[in-house]
Structure formats: C-alpha cells, structure tokens
Amino acid sequence: MQREKQTKKIVFRSNAKEVSNLILAGKQAAINAIRENRALGLAFTYTKGNKVVRENANGEIENLDRKPLRSSLKIKKGTILYVKSK
C-alpha cells in the first residue's frame, strides 16, 4: 500500500488592517525616497493624471509626455484572456 500524498491548500484572506498597513508603508517609502533624491540632487519622474512629469532637486517641474487615459476593460464572466509571450 502506498500512502496518498496530502496537499495543503493555502488560502489567502485579505485583511483590511493588513492592507492599510501595506499602503501606509508604501507611502512612507515613497516619501523617504523623494526626500533622499532631493538631498542627493537627483531628479525623479512620476505620473500626474495623464502626464509624465520630471521634478528636479531644485523644485523645477518639466512636463515630459502626455499619455492617453486608458478605459477599464469590460470583461464578462466566462471571457477567455490570451497573453502574448515575448
């Protein structure tokens, strides 16, 4: 007789407190990164609405590009998505 393999199912349950802590940690990391970039005299790039913006260490803001706003996908139940590989 062979023993049957028992597989454990890992279930992830989202917790509101966990999610809020992760969001807070991400915001703090971004604030620290921006502060460090300014201290080192480095520019940083981010998006603001549909614009790509570069902010220099001295506070000067350059508009680099405009990206069209993307509409959300309208997917119905049972839709099959195909992913292209590179």
Side-chain angles (χ1 to χ4, degrees), residues 52-71:
V52 179
V53 177
R54 176 182 292 142
E55 188 171 335
N56 295 324
N58 62 2
E60 182 182 324
I61 295 176
E62 301 175 44
N63 290 324
L64 298 179
D65 199 6
R66 287 183 86 97
K67 298 290 181 185
L69 292 175
R70 297 172 73 184
S71 62

Side-chain angles (χ1 to χ4, degrees), residues 13 37 53:
R13 291 192 177 101
N37 278 1
V53 177

Side-chain angles (χ1 to χ4, degrees), residues 16-77:
K17 188 175 181 182
E18 255 182 62
V19 172
S20 64
N21 286 340
L22 287 173
I23 291 171
L24 181 64
K27 286 181 182 180
Q28 288 296 325
I31 289 169
N32 289 338
I34 290 169
R35 187 179 301 135
E36 289 173 6
N37 278 1
R38 283 193 180 130
L40 293 171
L42 301 174
F44 54 96
T45 307
Y46 59 92
T47 59
K48 190 173 190 177
N50 63 340
K51 298 176 188 174
V52 179
V53 177
R54 176 182 292 142
E55 188 171 335
N56 295 324
N58 62 2
E60 182 182 324
I61 295 176
E62 301 175 44
N63 290 324
L64 298 179
D65 199 6
R66 287 183 86 97
K67 298 290 181 185
L69 292 175
R70 297 172 73 184
S71 62
S72 61
L73 294 174
K74 301 204 185 326
I75 299 175
K76 295 182 181 177
K77 185 176 179 181

